[in-house]
Amino acid sequence: MTDGDGARFGAVERSAFEGRIAALEREAKRAFDDAQREADTLFAQYQLSQLVASGGSAKELAGAVLLELTRLAAGDEGAIWLGDRTGEPLQLMARIGSTNDLPEHFADAAAARRWAGGRPDLRFVVLSDEPSPTIVAIRAADGRALDEDGIRVAQLARHELAVAFAGARLREALEREGHDLAAIVDGATDVIVQVDEACRITRLNPAGQRLLGLTNAEAVGRPCGEALGCEAAGGHRDANCPLAETIRTGQPIGYLETAIRGVQGPIKVAGGYSPGMSRPGGMRATAILRDLSAAEALEQLREGFVATVSHELRTPIALIRGYAETLLAFDLEPEQHREYLERIQGLTERLGALISQILDATHLDADPLILERTPVAFASLVARLHGDLALTGDDRRLATDLPSDLPPIEVDPSRVGRILENLVGNALKYAPDESPVVVRAVVATPWLQVHIDDEGIGVPESDRPLVAEPFHRAWNVRESRIPGTGLGLYICRRLVEAHGGSLTIGDRPDGRTGTRVTFTLPLLAGRRDRRSGSRPTAPPPTVGSSRAEHVRG
Amino acid sequence: MPASSPTPAPATVSAMDSASLRAALARARRTIDRHATALTRLDAVLGDGDHGDNLSIGFRAVEELVAGLPPETLPGELLRAVGHALVSAVGGASGPLYGTAMIEAGFRAGSAATIDLALAASMLEAATDGLARRGRCTAGDKTILDTLRPAADALSAAVAADADAASAARSTIRAALAGMRSTRPLVARRGIALRLGERSAGHLDPGAVSCLLILLALAGR
């Protein structure tokens, strides 16, 4: 080999080497670019993952994901539709840019695909298919090509996105359910109290807050025994707390009666206790308690009604039957015959009066009272009553104390006549024979205040708030065995209230034995204006009786 | 090793060699440590509340890495190694973004033993372009780039105007500061903050703030 050969060979070799180096450099550059692109894609995926992991509602998530995917794909406009497992149509959840030409709904993913077939301007990406389809459409505003690497990121992330959207839907469903449950708990009329495993209150619903006189903030964190005051109210002992037992055993208690300390004293309650999980491994318990006092009062009224009505109906019927049997079985003297028939007539009248009272009370409860108000002189209504009483001779016991210049009242005369008839009838019935009943009236603008005083057995103070409730009869009246239904005062109260007034029961102001019933009626508007220029608002306080009881006014 | 080096000359006064680059990185670590709580607080508003802590961890890792590299390591190699350390050590998006910027700057530095002003400008451009590509972001997206892009542009302009190192550094930092401040009214378009939509306006972007802090440290401030 000569030097010249070597030089020639060297030149060829160098050229080959240089070619090889250039190829290797190109290869290295390509590998570097690929690695960069791969790194870019990975980073984009990472950012997308961070985005979907940050929670939020499906709509918020859809908006953020669409923004990110549109950016990744170098698009300018886009839209995203979501479906769910309910089979409802896919809904447009978010859009970017001027995409008003895109439909709000697709019946299903197949319909979306068919529609996409006619829209080559859009890149349609199905991120997830049935049963919870998620579809994204992206386009570049000027028709340029989208970034395929970005599209690839979207496709690579589709499972993650599907999971994220399913999670968002689930969170929303749970939140809705939570709100619904909270509405039920907050709207319940029963006390609902929840405690943690240390029996400290974690929740007290508004009904419980009202009954116990505590705010939720005041109740939360306190031991249940302290907040509910079961032991102090005469319920169970703290050591036998049913909430603690429920937590300890993990078993519900179906029904238990106890007592809690209410704002106005002990309240008898009954309810159930159920265990629950507060967190993995942690127990809590919930009690749903019903205030039994209202139910018990209702039950007492019902029992009173049954006893009264059955007694009041049975007694005259038994007497009628006795007189009728006697008339049928024996040949009586004409005078005795007539006497028996008159007694039967009296008893049937009593029965008729009782039944009409029951019907009146029922109507008062069922129908709105329609009053036919008209200007009338109170004295004329008393005079009419006087006339009615003359038939039985009771008129001589009725005394009146009415100023001659009483202004007219604006009332339904027949209803007020009924009030007077009932109240004066009661006064006559429960007072000794021959004792007077006095009807007085004074002006207490804008009201006429009427007092009916008797010398009867009086109404015990403890019964005063209740005597104007249906079928309630004061204990001294029940013991007196004087017949009655317990409806008269109730009917009077309702009729007075329908006129805007109030009815109170108290002691006589002169300190004598007996009762003063006071009620108010509205004066005629013109007279009212002339005297005081005011309209009736709240009924005036009862005059002359320090222990008068306002009856449900 | 920065800890044992004599007080290095400020980076922008003359060309930066490997030792002064190490010193600049040590300053960056201290600056980030000092402001870590504030950065995290900013990030709690717009992101996931870990930016300051993450960067602090990252720059400590950088410090350890740099201490282990031989003194003759070239600036470009140093920056590439630092970039990889940031990618690995910093959680969240800022690790890959700052890492990319450092790696790109390192590549641009090539095998130069010192970095003069023109090379520094070119490296900052490369870092900015790399970060923009990786983050798929542009200026105005309320990101690191809102600080970095104007800084890179300002440094290139200073070089084109034949400015001296000190005035080039001043104009670069001034532009970075203005860029950082510009993120306050912006609505975020990248990262977790985009979830907030309009609510992201009114807050500084934590990445834009940390970028300013790092540039200040590199500029010898």
Side-chain angles (χ1 to χ4, degrees), chain A residues 467-540:
Chain A
V467 284
E469 294 300 321
F471 303 113
H472 186 93
R473 302 193 73 205
W475 62 264
N476 57 344
V477 167
R478 290 198 300 270
E479 284 180 358
S480 72
R481 307 188 71 81
I482 298 168
T485 56
L487 284 170
L489 265 178
Y490 169 67
I491 293 169
C492 291
R493 174 173 71 77
R494 291 294 304 268
L495 291 175
V496 167
E497 285 171 358
H499 283 88
S502 68
L503 186 143
T504 56
I505 292 164
D507 297 323
R508 286 177 61 114
D510 53 14
R512 296 169 68 177
T513 311
T515 305
R516 164 169 278 196
V517 177
T518 301
F519 63 95
T520 53
L521 296 168
L523 293 171
L524 179 63
R527 288 306 177 97
R528 222 161 44 214
D529 292 346
R530 221 170 24 244
R531 279 170 177 246
S532 69
S534 63
R535 293 172 58 80
T537 48

Side-chain angles (χ1 to χ4, degrees), chain A residues 279-430:
Chain A
R279 56 185 163 73
M283 290 295 290
R284 66 177 171 199
T286 306
I288 303 177
L289 306 171
R290 177 157 296 179
D291 177 0
L292 290 182
S293 52
E296 281 190 346
L298 197 68
E299 180 59 18
Q300 274 174 8
L301 276 178
R302 195 190 65 79
E303 283 172 5
F305 168 75
V306 171
T308 307
V309 171
S310 57
H311 176 261
E312 290 298 312
L313 290 174
R314 276 168 180 277
T315 309
I317 287 170
L319 290 171
I320 290 168
R321 185 187 295 138
Y323 289 129
E325 281 172 1
T326 308
L327 285 170
L328 287 169
F330 301 101
D331 248 351
L332 298 176
E333 290 298 320
E335 276 180 19
Q336 205 170 14
H337 192 100
R338 182 178 175 77
E339 186 193 336
Y340 279 22
L341 285 175
E342 281 174 352
R343 285 184 186 177
I344 289 172
Q345 187 188 26
L347 289 164
T348 51
E349 278 170 7
R350 186 171 141 193
L351 270 176
L354 172 66
I355 288 164
S356 69
Q357 246 186 356
I358 292 171
L359 287 176
D360 278 355
T362 312
H363 281 300
L364 282 175
D365 283 339
D367 302 329
L369 271 173
I370 297 165
L371 300 177
E372 291 175 15
R373 288 174 191 257
T374 181
V376 61
F378 181 68
S380 69
L381 297 176
V382 178
R384 195 180 301 164
L385 175 68
H386 213 279
D388 291 345
L389 292 176
L391 296 172
T392 56
D394 281 332
D395 59 324
R396 60 196 157 77
R397 292 177 62 193
L398 182 65
T400 55
D401 179 9
L402 304 174
S404 57
D405 62 344
L406 272 186
I409 51 177
E410 191 174 16
V411 296
D412 185 329
S414 68
R415 307 279 194 177
V416 174
R418 191 71 199 282
I419 296 167
L420 281 172
E421 184 188 323
N422 264 328
L423 295 179
V424 171
N426 270 352
L428 292 169
K429 189 162 70 173
Y430 295 115

Side-chain angles (χ1 to χ4, degrees), chain A residues 75-252:
Chain A
D76 301 293
E77 299 174 341
I80 185 166
W81 294 264
L82 292 188
D84 60 27
R85 291 176 178 275
T86 60
E88 291 288 310
L90 278 77
Q91 258 195 323
L92 181 72
M93 298 297 277
R95 61 163 109 225
I96 299 170
S98 51
T99 48
N100 294 334
D101 57 332
L102 305 183
E104 293 279 335
H105 304 282
F106 288 118
D108 50 30
R113 281 197 180 88
R114 281 195 299 280
W115 180 86
R119 293 296 298 263
D121 58 317
L122 284 170
R123 173 61 72 89
F124 223 63
V125 184
V126 178
L127 292 176
S128 62
D129 219 319
E130 303 292 352
S132 301
T134 305
I135 293 170
V136 173
I138 300 169
R139 70 180 166 204
D142 51 7
R144 66 185 151 72
L146 294 174
D147 182 342
E148 289 305 318
D149 283 343
I151 302 283
R152 193 160 66 92
V153 170
Q155 283 164 338
L156 286 170
R158 62 183 184 278
H159 294 303
E160 197 175 353
L161 288 171
V163 170
F165 281 118
R169 295 273 202 204
L170 189 63
R171 273 196 304 279
E172 282 174 6
L174 286 172
E175 270 173 30
R176 268 199 306 277
E177 208 164 297
H179 286 140
D180 288 351
L181 282 174
I184 291 169
V185 168
D186 290 349
T189 52
D190 289 344
V191 176
I192 300 179
V193 60
Q194 207 160 48
V195 298
D196 61 16
E197 43 201 329
C199 272
R200 290 183 185 279
I201 292 178
T202 54
R203 182 175 193 156
L204 179 67
N205 74 333
Q209 292 165 29
R210 280 194 296 276
L211 213 59
L212 295 168
L214 293 172
T215 64
N216 193 51
E218 287 167 344
V220 168
R222 287 173 68 182
C224 72
E226 182 190 308
L228 301 180
C230 300
E231 186 167 338
H236 54 263
R237 295 177 62 82
D238 283 348
N240 301 329
C241 175
L243 281 165
E245 186 187 330
T246 303
I247 289 171
R248 195 173 55 249
T249 61
Q251 296 298 316

Side-chain angles (χ1 to χ4, degrees), chain A residues 32 35-36 39-41 43-44 46-47 50-52 54-57 60-61 63-64 67-68 71-72 147 149-150 153, chain B residues 48 50 91-94 96-97 100 103-104 107 130 133-138 141 188-195 199:
Chain A
F32 180 79
Q36 284 281 40
D40 289 348
T41 303
F43 183 69
Y46 165 75
Q47 282 212 297
Q50 273 208 317
L51 199 62
V52 298
S54 56
S57 68
E60 284 172 341
L61 190 62
L67 214 58
E68 185 74 4
R71 174 66 72 99
L72 284 174
D147 182 342
D149 283 343
V153 170
Chain B
D48 41 12
D50 58 3
S94 54
L97 291 172
T100 300
I103 293 167
E104 293 289 349
F107 275 125
R133 190 199 67 247
R134 181 126 305 152
R136 285 179 157 84
C137 51
T138 55
D141 283 352
R189 294 201 294 250
R190 302 296 296 137
I192 303 176
L194 81 81
R195 293 290 304 274
R199 282 173 288 154

Side-chain angles (χ1 to χ4, degrees), chain B residues 174-197:
Chain B
R174 206 178 298 130
L177 183 64
M180 181 273 279
R181 285 180 176 154
S182 77
T183 62
R184 189 186 291 279
L186 294 175
V187 172
R189 294 201 294 250
R190 302 296 296 137
I192 303 176
L194 81 81
R195 293 290 304 274
L196 298 176

Side-chain angles (χ1 to χ4, degrees), chain B:
Chain B
M1 236 171 95
S4 59
S5 302
T7 308
T12 50
V13 170
S14 59
M16 186 184 259
D17 61 9
S18 193
S20 48
L21 180 58
R22 286 166 188 255
L25 289 168
R27 279 197 300 277
R29 196 273 294 162
R30 288 196 297 275
T31 306
I32 291 296
D33 268 357
R34 203 162 50 244
H35 294 94
T37 309
L39 289 173
T40 290
R41 204 177 301 137
L42 279 176
D43 193 37
V45 179
L46 295 179
D48 41 12
D50 58 3
H51 186 57
D53 300 329
N54 281 340
L55 278 190
S56 202
I57 292 166
F59 274 91
R60 279 167 195 277
V62 165
E63 192 169 45
E64 279 176 28
L65 166 94
V66 171
L69 290 176
E72 64 273 19
T73 308
L74 294 169
E77 292 170 338
L78 194 68
L79 282 174
R80 290 204 297 277
V82 165
H84 286 293
L86 287 175
V87 171
S88 310
V90 181
S94 54
L97 291 172
Y98 279 125
T100 300
M102 295 285 187
I103 293 167
E104 293 289 349
F107 275 125
R108 186 62 58 90
S111 54
T114 55
I115 303 164
D116 61 15
L117 208 54
L119 181 55
S122 176
M123 286 164 66
L124 200 56
E125 286 293 341
T128 306
D129 291 345
L131 187 140
R133 190 199 67 247
R134 181 126 305 152
R136 285 179 157 84
C137 51
T138 55
D141 283 352
K142 201 172 179 117
T143 64
I144 297 169
L145 201 69
D146 288 312
T147 301
L148 197 55
R149 179 67 77 193
D153 290 349
L155 187 54
S156 295
V159 168
D162 209 16
D164 63 49
S167 68
R170 269 200 305 279
S171 62
T172 302
I173 294 303
R174 206 178 298 130
L177 183 64
M180 181 273 279
R181 285 180 176 154
S182 77
T183 62
R184 189 186 291 279
L186 294 175
V187 172
R189 294 201 294 250
R190 302 296 296 137
I192 303 176
L194 81 81
R195 293 290 304 274
L196 298 176
E198 299 291 329
R199 282 173 288 154
S200 61
H203 306 280
L204 288 173
D205 177 64
V209 177
S210 64
C211 183
L212 176 73
L213 295 174
I214 293 166
L215 286 174
L216 279 168
L218 293 175
R221 305 296 175 93

